[in-house]
Amino acid sequence: MENEKESKVYVHYTHTHPSKFSRWTVRESFQFMCKRPWQRVLDFYSNVVTGHCSLSELLGIKDLSPQTHPIHDGEIGEASDKTEFGNVLTKDRGGRWARLTFKIVLSYHGASFDGWQKQPGLNTVQGLVEASLGTFVDEKKAQQLKEKCLPVEGNAFVAGRTDKGVTALQQVCSFYTWKKDVKVQDIEDAINGAVPGKLRVIFVSEVSRIFHPNFSAKWRRYFYIFPLNDWEDGDQNSESEIDVQKISFDEKYGEHGSKHDAEFNGGEDSDNLIFDNDGEFGSRKKPSTFSIIRVDQLLQQLEGKLLSYKIFARDTKASRNIGPPTECLVFHARATEARLLSSNDGEGTKVMCIELVANRFLRKMVRVLVATSIREAAAGAEDDALLKLMDATCRRATAPPAPPDGLCLVDVGYTDFDRQNCFIR
């Protein structure tokens, strides 16, 4: 057993992609990600969900109209449903075509739920939504559920399941029923009454039966807010910053990781931590900061390329010949600096904002991309560092997932993606 463990070879341990400094180990990445004012990000997302502020205000965008970007005022215009899925209503048809399909756009605070997917004994968004939709289930289906001793609940199909802690501003789901007297306002009121302040309906509309929130979608947009500590240097955008400031992680972040390490690790145990040649945890001085400009440059290399992101995924098989494809087409990937304003703090909290838009995302792909781009930027890696990692044979070549607290599903698109509607240009 000992010989087998000694013979293990990890790509992360030995990969030799050019960089100015040594890359962080798994534990160092944990510590760098965890020791941050995440509560300020959670409070901001809570205010966005309730409609008290917006991402546009965070980035200082004042020239976008609601028609250009629905998130600006929290409303979705009628024009957004005038697609190939919304023009063909089926009210005059019979049989299976007579059912009514509703498109529901939701906003919810990730920290208040155990993710989207319904699970026994957990407070999930899907569980609350489907329980709220039970009132609108047709009599035939309700009778079938009662005969099976199951609760009378609706079935909600979603554009993409979010993990525990991930916020959504315009999550899209659908619900169908053969009940004829269902009104969109009744659906909105039922869901809004479930957990006020944490789950809110943005818009409900009747659409064609052929509409599916997942399969009909052409792109998804994610937004990540990474808070910077007060003691970190002010000009994070300076290219020379990474050359100057290097410290020991034990001095700044402490000897041990935080209580969230296991969650951010994505299921990896202590055997995956990186040790030096003597078998001891690396204590060499590593960079303690990174350049936001460098992160932006690394991410831009992904735009417009159809690539396999299996190395950046988690909770799926790293190498597979069957099953769903791992190729994703990233339309937009940018990073910039902003500041979270707070009534308690006049100056606010400096943050890095990352915007990612793609036709699809793998499990935990966004969080791993964020963490890996920060690690590579801190190490002073070359612009194509993320592209080179695509060829890695082990997922330990990438960083562990960034905390879910900073991640937000902004919206889902059913028409061709327009780069003019991006937050970060």
Side-chain angles (χ1 to χ4, degrees):
M1 188 69 180
E2 293 181 358
N3 293 335
E4 180 180 350
K5 189 172 183 179
E6 290 177 357
S7 63
K8 295 170 81 173
V9 177
Y10 300 113
V11 174
H12 182 93
Y13 295 8
T14 58
H15 76 81
T16 57
H17 299 158
S19 63
K20 295 180 181 179
F21 306 114
S22 298
R23 289 175 172 85
W24 295 328
T25 64
V26 172
R27 180 176 297 174
E28 289 169 346
S29 294
F30 287 162
Q31 294 170 341
F32 188 80
M33 295 289 174
C34 295
K35 302 295 184 178
R36 304 199 161 269
W38 288 108
Q39 187 59 46
R40 301 179 187 178
V41 178
L42 295 176
D43 293 341
F44 171 77
Y45 278 145
S46 178
N47 290 330
V48 175
V49 169
T50 55
H52 294 118
C53 60
S54 67
L55 294 180
S56 297
E57 295 175 1
L58 169 63
L59 297 171
I61 301 175
K62 300 182 182 299
D63 58 343
L64 292 182
S65 63
Q67 291 76 20
T68 303
H69 207 299
I71 291 293
H72 184 73
D73 62 351
E75 298 289 339
I76 299 181
E78 295 288 346
S80 63
D81 288 315
K82 294 179 180 179
T83 66
E84 56 182 312
F85 309 108
N87 288 332
V88 186
L89 298 180
T90 56
K91 293 180 179 179
D92 299 331
R93 299 195 180 190
R96 64 193 182 104
W97 286 96
R99 76 183 192 189
L100 302 180
T101 302
F102 296 92
K103 173 184 175 183
I104 307 173
V105 183
L106 301 170
S107 178
Y108 53 85
H109 188 224
S112 303
F113 300 97
D114 296 311
W116 166 268
Q117 186 174 6
K118 187 176 180 179
Q119 301 180 65
L122 295 181
N123 180 34
T124 64
V125 181
Q126 183 181 16
L128 289 172
V129 170
E130 291 187 345
S132 302
L133 294 174
T135 308
F136 312 106
V137 173
D138 54 274
E139 295 181 0
K140 181 178 180 181
K141 182 177 181 180
Q143 183 62 32
Q144 293 175 344
L145 292 173
K146 291 178 181 179
E147 291 176 356
K148 297 179 181 179
C149 298
L150 296 175
V152 179
E153 298 177 343
N155 289 331
F157 302 92
V158 71
R161 296 175 295 181
T162 53
D163 293 333
K164 177 180 179 180
V166 178
T167 297
L169 300 186
Q170 286 194 18
Q171 174 70 280
V172 180
C173 64
S174 67
F175 160 75
Y176 65 85
T177 179
W178 274 267
K179 200 171 184 179
K180 298 297 184 181
D181 58 346
V182 178
K183 299 180 181 179
V184 295
Q185 187 61 46
D186 295 337
I187 296 177
E188 182 175 342
D189 293 341
I191 298 177
N192 282 338
V195 279
K198 299 178 181 178
L199 173 64
R200 181 169 69 102
V201 175
I202 304 297
F203 188 80
V204 179
S205 63
E206 183 181 347
V207 294
S208 167
R209 181 183 181 276
I210 63 175
F211 172 80
H212 192 285
N214 185 12
F215 303 136
S216 301
K218 294 187 176 183
W219 52 265
R220 286 98 171 153
R221 184 205 316 264
Y222 279 92
F223 200 85
Y224 197 95
I225 300 178
F226 186 80
L228 304 176
N229 288 305
D230 296 335
W231 52 260
E232 289 179 318
D233 195 277
D235 188 10
Q236 291 285 332
N237 281 340
S238 173
E239 282 289 354
S240 61
E241 184 65 32
I242 194 171
D243 297 326
V244 177
Q245 189 173 0
K246 293 191 297 178
I247 64 169
S248 168
F249 265 71
D250 288 342
E251 296 174 5
K252 185 63 68 174
Y253 295 102
E255 183 178 357
H256 304 289
S258 77
K259 63 181 180 181
H260 302 295
D261 285 358
E263 179 182 350
F264 298 159
N265 192 14
E268 299 180 33
D269 54 30
S270 59
D271 290 339
N272 295 339
L273 298 179
I274 300 176
F275 296 82
D276 59 22
N277 294 332
D278 297 328
E280 297 180 356
F281 178 70
S283 60
R284 294 173 298 171
K285 290 187 176 183
K286 302 287 183 74
S288 66
T289 187
F290 63 95
S291 166
I292 296 178
I293 289 180
R294 174 57 66 185
V295 173
D296 184 57
Q297 292 171 342
L298 290 168
L299 292 175
Q300 286 190 43
Q301 300 299 313
L302 306 178
E303 294 183 350
K305 298 180 178 69
L306 181 64
L307 301 169
S308 173
Y309 285 84
K310 61 183 179 182
I311 295 300
F312 291 89
R314 294 295 186 271
D315 299 337
T316 58
K317 292 183 178 180
S319 58
R320 63 188 184 197
N321 296 322
I322 59 175
T326 59
E327 289 79 13
C328 304
L329 176 59
V330 175
F331 299 113
H332 182 78
R334 298 297 172 91
T336 190
E337 182 182 306
R339 187 176 292 274
L340 287 177
L341 298 180
S342 172
S343 58
N344 300 328
D345 186 0
E347 296 183 357
T349 302
K350 186 173 289 187
V351 297
M352 177 182 67
C353 299
I354 294 178
E355 183 180 19
L356 295 172
V357 184
N359 64 336
R360 62 195 296 267
F361 290 93
L362 307 180
R363 293 202 63 182
K364 299 185 179 180
M365 170 180 156
V366 175
R367 291 163 56 191
V368 175
L369 265 177
V370 169
T372 305
S373 62
I374 292 176
R375 186 197 71 185
E376 295 300 307
E382 296 179 349
D383 289 351
D384 60 349
L386 297 180
L387 296 177
K388 290 180 178 178
L389 285 171
M390 301 289 179
D391 298 327
T393 58
C394 177
R395 284 177 173 167
R396 296 183 184 90
T398 55
D405 303 346
L407 185 58
C408 171
L409 172 62
V410 179
D411 53 3
V412 182
Y414 298 92
T415 57
D416 292 337
F417 174 68
D418 185 0
R419 191 177 295 272
Q420 296 300 318
N421 291 340
C422 293
F423 289 108
I424 307 173
R425 301 180 185 178

